[in-house]
């Protein structure tokens, strides 16, 4: 008989307790930061009709990356590859009842059929943070500020990441007004710029020439000037002086006032999703081993309106758990991976009743304790505590039960203390 594989499905991960502790730390930090800005948690279904993604998420995500299938009733559904269409649907459904600005967040898992590699999984987790009903750039600025605050909450310093910012409106001026492309050429150019960092400069130039055809001699030098620009200042003046560029500069001024120092303007940042209408941004790790976006987001004023409601403006972003974990690892920002159990009760001579009584008294005071119920030798019990990442053990036998004094031992440094129940609580709570 062939055995079933113990490997999880390709691109997905099993989370054993030590992995789950890291994940829980990330989720708890996300939650603390977004709740400090007044964001409220929501949840949404794992499945949506495929059309929800086909509408505006873009061909790549909707048609090549979704896990889509026909349900038993003949409807084509997809496992959610992202949250933005679901939360837009939910806002559209309750648009009258919601209080604006509606500040909403969720922490959920998603699936995308991608090639698994460092930083890319087929099942991954995202925090989604979105604000609905504000069309001025205070919303854009708040969202980017939260992205910055999240990294700082993990202990990152401003030079460990870059927030690259652009605007879809400015991109339109750039493709149509500045480069003089038609809609089809503009679309192709946006996709090409989006892939820019994944291909060689030679391939980029070749594909750019193909897109613009007989306009090449006129367009390509202009494209060169764009690629050479590393900020507003070095932008060609036809672009720098537009209203769109000035609007984006206001966002920069506002986040600077909020203490964001890692933001850079990048005219080549596109974002792959079709629904963005204004500011777009991505957070990048500056560490060379981690050359992918940690977070991505932007303004998408047209999505809620697709659900038959009047348009409601929206800005948001989503940090991914996979990339963030890599970020914390390469910058040495992960906390010590310790068990949430404060002490392991080592039972002498099968004194289970005494051990359980003590454990119950400790739990009542909010101390997490685990009792060894195996009746094994003491050294075996202590080894188990060590393997589980529990630093401290309490010895309980008949003598301890009678005297009410217990030995608490730190198995990492060997120190021990004789303590009453009250003192144990003080020490462990
Ligand atoms: P996205 O850029 O597709 O945007 O994903 C956001 C983040 O999720 C990425 O920066 C990355 O960290 C993580 N991520 C995406 N795909 C994978 C994957 N296959 N494996 C691991 N991590 C991944 C969105 O999803 C937009 N819906 C974000 C948004 C919210 N825009 C407005 N509100």
């Amino acid at each position: 008989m062939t055995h079933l594989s113990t490997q999880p499905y390709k691109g997905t991960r099993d989370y054993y307790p030590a992995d789950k502790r890291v994940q829980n730390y990330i989720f708890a930090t996300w939650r603390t930061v977004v709740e400090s800005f007044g964001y409220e948690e929501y949840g949404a279904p794992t499945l949506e009709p495929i059309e929800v993604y086909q509408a505006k998420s873009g061909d790549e995500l909707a048609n090549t990356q979704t896990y889509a299938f026909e349900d038993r009733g003949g409807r084509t559904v997809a496992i959610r590859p992202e949250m933005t269409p679901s939360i837009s649907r939910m806002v559209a459904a309750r648009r009258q009842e919601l209080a604006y600005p509606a500040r909403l967040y969720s922490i959920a898992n998603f699936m995308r059929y991608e090639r698994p590699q460092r930083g890319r999984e087929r099942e991954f987790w995202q925090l989604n943070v979105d604000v609905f009903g504000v069309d001025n750039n205070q919303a854009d600025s708040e969202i980017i500020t939260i992205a910055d605050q999240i990294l700082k909450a993990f202990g990152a310093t401003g030079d460990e990441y870059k927030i690259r910012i652009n605007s879809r409106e400015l991109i339109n001026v750039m493709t149509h007004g500045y480069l003089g492309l038609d809609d089809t050429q503009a679309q192709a150019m946006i996709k090409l710029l989006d892939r820019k960092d994944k291909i060689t400069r030679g391939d980029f130039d070749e594909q750019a020439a193909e897109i613009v055809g007989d306009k090449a001699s006129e367009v390509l030098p202009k494209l060169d000037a764009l690629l050479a620009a590393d900020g507003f200042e070095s932008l060609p003046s036809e672009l720098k002086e537009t209203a769109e560029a000035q609007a984006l500069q206001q966002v920069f001024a506002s986040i600077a006032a909020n203490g964001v120092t890692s933001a850079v303007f990048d005219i080549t940042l596109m974002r792959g999703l079709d629904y963005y209408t204004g500011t777009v941004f991505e957070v990048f790790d500056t560490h060379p081993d981690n050359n992918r976006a940690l977070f991505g987001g932007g303004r998408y004023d047209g999505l809620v309106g697709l659900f038959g409601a009047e348009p409601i403006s929206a800005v948001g972003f989503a940090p991914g758990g996979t990339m963030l974990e890599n970020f914390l690892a390469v910058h040495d920002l992960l906390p010590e991976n310790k068990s949430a159990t404060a002490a392991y009760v080592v039972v002498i001579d099968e004194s289970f009743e005494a051990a359980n009584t003590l454990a119950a008294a400790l739990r009542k005071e909010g101390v997490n304790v685990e009792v060894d119920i195996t009746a094994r030798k003491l050294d075996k019990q202590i080894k188990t505590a060590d393997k589980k990442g529990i630093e401290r053990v309490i010895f309980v036998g008949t003598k301890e039960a009678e005297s009410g004094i217990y030995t608490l031992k730190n198995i990492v440094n060997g120190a021990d203390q004789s303590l009453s129940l009250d003192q144990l609580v003080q020490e462990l709570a």
Side-chain angles (χ1 to χ4, degrees):
M1 190 187 110
T2 56
H3 291 286
L4 295 170
S5 171
T6 58
Q7 292 298 308
Y9 167 68
K10 185 175 176 183
T12 69
R13 226 200 296 181
D14 295 324
Y15 287 83
Y16 289 94
D19 312 307
K20 200 68 193 175
R21 284 200 283 271
V22 173
Q23 193 186 52
N24 283 341
Y25 166 70
I26 291 174
F27 290 179
T29 308
W30 281 347
R31 204 179 282 282
T32 304
V33 175
V34 297
E35 288 186 355
S36 79
F37 281 79
Y39 285 70
E40 292 186 288
E41 188 168 13
Y42 66 89
T46 315
L47 292 178
E48 291 277 359
I50 184 89
E51 295 82 34
V52 161
Y53 307 107
Q54 284 168 336
K56 269 198 184 284
S57 297
D59 179 61
E60 190 186 27
L61 189 71
N63 297 327
T64 68
Q65 295 184 341
T66 51
Y67 280 84
F69 59 94
E70 200 173 286
D71 73 7
R72 291 175 199 280
R75 304 166 201 91
T76 304
V77 292
I79 299 175
R80 59 185 174 200
E82 62 157 336
M83 192 58 99
T84 313
S86 302
I87 187 56
S88 299
R89 177 177 61 67
M90 286 170 63
V91 168
R94 293 277 170 92
R95 62 192 174 280
Q96 309 288 5
E97 295 91 325
L98 285 168
Y100 298 101
R103 293 183 163 98
L104 298 164
Y105 84 91
S106 60
I107 297 174
N109 51 341
F110 301 90
M111 292 197 80
R112 293 185 192 176
Y113 195 78
E114 288 195 70
R115 189 168 66 80
Q117 52 191 297
R118 184 174 166 78
R120 275 281 176 279
E121 298 180 281
R122 287 186 172 170
E123 184 179 38
F124 59 95
W125 292 74
Q126 278 181 349
L127 164 70
N128 273 263
V129 188
D130 295 271
V131 53
F132 289 86
V134 182
D135 62 10
N136 70 53
N137 63 30
Q138 279 303 307
D140 310 56
S141 150
E142 175 171 302
I143 285 293
I144 297 170
T145 303
I146 294 173
D148 185 67
Q149 284 296 316
I150 285 176
L151 285 161
K152 288 181 174 150
F154 284 107
T157 53
D159 57 341
E160 290 173 325
Y161 58 92
K162 280 259 162 296
I163 307 175
R164 290 161 60 182
I165 307 175
N166 196 3
S167 127
R168 275 284 165 88
E169 286 149 329
L170 188 58
I171 292 168
N172 283 339
V173 175
M174 184 261 285
T175 51
H176 290 82
Y178 174 69
L179 295 177
L181 305 179
D182 63 32
D183 284 349
T184 318
Q185 290 171 323
Q187 269 309 316
M189 189 61 78
I190 286 171
K191 299 277 176 230
L192 178 61
L193 282 166
D194 194 41
R195 288 199 309 275
K196 175 174 70 70
D197 294 335
K198 296 178 186 145
I199 58 179
T200 65
R201 182 62 204 255
D203 285 348
F204 178 89
D205 289 344
E206 202 173 294
Q207 291 176 34
E210 249 168 60
I211 292 170
V212 301
D214 53 12
K215 290 188 208 150
S217 60
E218 183 193 332
V219 175
L220 295 184
K222 286 185 158 183
L223 197 55
D224 269 346
L226 273 184
L227 294 181
D230 57 2
F232 280 112
E233 290 324 304
S234 45
L235 211 53
S237 59
E238 300 105 294
L239 276 177
K240 195 162 52 181
E241 277 138 35
T242 58
E244 289 79 4
Q246 265 144 40
L248 192 57
Q249 271 178 296
Q250 281 173 14
V251 174
F252 273 84
S254 166
I255 58 175
N258 290 345
V260 177
T261 57
S262 310
V264 290
F265 168 62
D266 181 355
I267 185 69
T268 69
L269 179 87
M270 297 292 132
R271 298 280 296 138
L273 300 155
D274 285 353
Y275 47 66
Y276 294 117
T277 54
T279 309
V280 285
F281 73 99
E282 274 179 358
V283 179
F284 276 80
D285 192 343
T286 51
H287 197 288
D289 288 353
N290 237 3
N291 196 17
R292 278 181 176 281
L294 299 170
F295 309 176
R299 177 173 280 279
Y300 52 101
D301 287 347
L303 206 46
V304 176
L306 285 186
F307 295 92
E310 64 275 21
I312 294 177
S313 9
V315 194
F317 76 110
T322 319
M323 284 300 296
L324 190 61
E325 199 180 322
N326 292 345
F327 175 86
L328 298 178
V330 298
H331 295 285
D332 202 15
L333 293 170
L334 280 170
E336 206 187 332
N337 195 325
K338 276 199 299 203
S339 168
T341 309
Y344 193 73
V345 178
V346 171
V347 183
I348 306 166
D349 297 332
E350 302 189 25
S351 306
F352 294 122
E353 205 180 306
N356 285 330
T357 306
L358 175 73
L362 286 168
R363 288 182 196 125
K364 214 172 149 196
E365 299 302 323
V367 179
N368 297 342
V369 286
E370 179 176 355
V371 177
D372 193 296
I373 49 174
T374 61
R376 289 171 303 178
K377 293 213 174 84
L378 300 192
D379 62 330
K380 288 260 162 62
Q381 298 188 38
I382 295 168
K383 266 201 192 116
T384 304
D386 186 38
K387 227 174 165 179
K388 286 170 180 266
I390 305 172
E391 272 183 17
R392 295 188 282 191
V393 298
I394 307 169
F395 294 92
V396 180
T398 37
K399 189 174 100 232
E400 286 75 9
E402 272 163 26
S403 65
I405 300 294
Y406 306 88
T407 304
L408 175 70
K409 181 170 174 146
N410 183 315
I411 57 176
V412 178
N413 63 21
D416 54 28
Q417 294 168 275
S418 295
L419 303 173
S420 66
L421 173 62
D422 284 350
Q423 291 169 320
L424 275 177
V425 170
Q426 284 227 325
E427 198 59 38
L428 298 170

